[in-house]
Amino acid sequence: MSALSLRAARRWGLVILIAGAAVVVSVFQTGAGHALLRETGLAQDSAGYTSLSFARPQSLPGKLGSRHGKVGAPFVIHNGTTATRDYRWSVFLLRDGRSRRVHAGTVRLSAGRAAVISQSLRIACTRDRVRIMVSLQRPAESIDAWLTCGSRGS
């Protein structure tokens, strides 16, 4: 084979290789291509998101009127992923650098669904303020609210 025909064969081989790669990439951009990649373990579904929030943040008291009180702190977990997920949640009271878990549970949510978790918290105000923290185990997320304690004499 002459040098000229060898160069032409290499060029055509390169053109065919590039065209083939473009076709393969185009196929994997389709829904069927994505499904094939997921089935072979080469791709995952989009992760989506999880959101955690207080159901009615404006109704959380900023201050407790007495040293002991009951506070409602309902919160919402929203599954923004494309799959059913189990969420492990906990509610903590934090004061003076220490935390105490007061409630915990698990909720299973289908894709796109949300759940309101209602818990009443018995709070003993022994210092100036108390922090309520709601956390999820996975994904690791948390929200919190501070409560100022009322006068000691009340």
Side-chain angles (χ1 to χ4, degrees):
M1 203 183 260
S2 72
L4 185 58
S5 62
L6 188 58
R7 269 192 243 138
R10 284 185 184 157
R11 280 190 193 143
W12 277 109
L14 184 60
V15 167
I16 291 170
L17 180 65
I18 291 171
V23 168
V24 168
V25 167
S26 297
V27 166
F28 286 126
Q29 295 300 316
T30 66
H34 281 283
L36 179 63
L37 288 172
R38 280 191 301 275
E39 286 175 20
T40 60
L42 296 173
Q44 297 178 0
D45 285 330
S46 65
Y49 67 92
T50 295
S51 68
L52 175 65
S53 62
F54 285 110
R56 294 182 304 278
Q58 68 281 3
S59 70
L60 289 170
K63 183 175 184 175
L64 281 179
S66 65
R67 291 181 62 187
H68 299 282
K70 222 174 166 184
V71 174
F75 57 94
V76 180
I77 302 171
H78 179 259
N79 178 3
T81 70
T82 58
T84 297
R85 298 209 36 197
D86 291 326
Y87 293 98
R88 295 187 67 169
W89 56 267
S90 297
V91 179
F92 296 90
L93 291 179
L94 297 95
R95 68 181 119 227
D96 301 326
R98 288 183 243 152
S99 69
R100 180 173 61 98
R101 186 166 67 176
V102 292
H103 294 290
T106 302
V107 63
R108 174 169 282 201
L109 293 175
S110 300
R113 304 296 291 184
V116 177
I117 315 281
S118 296
Q119 298 294 325
S120 281
L121 309 171
R122 290 188 184 281
I123 298 177
C125 268
T126 56
R127 298 280 182 209
D128 294 334
R129 59 189 195 156
V130 175
R131 182 174 153 201
I132 300 170
M133 183 175 77
V134 178
S135 68
L136 295 180
Q137 187 176 44
R138 190 173 311 167
E141 281 191 39
S142 66
I143 54 175
D144 60 20
W146 287 94
L147 302 177
T148 303
C149 294
S151 67
R152 296 217 182 226
S154 17

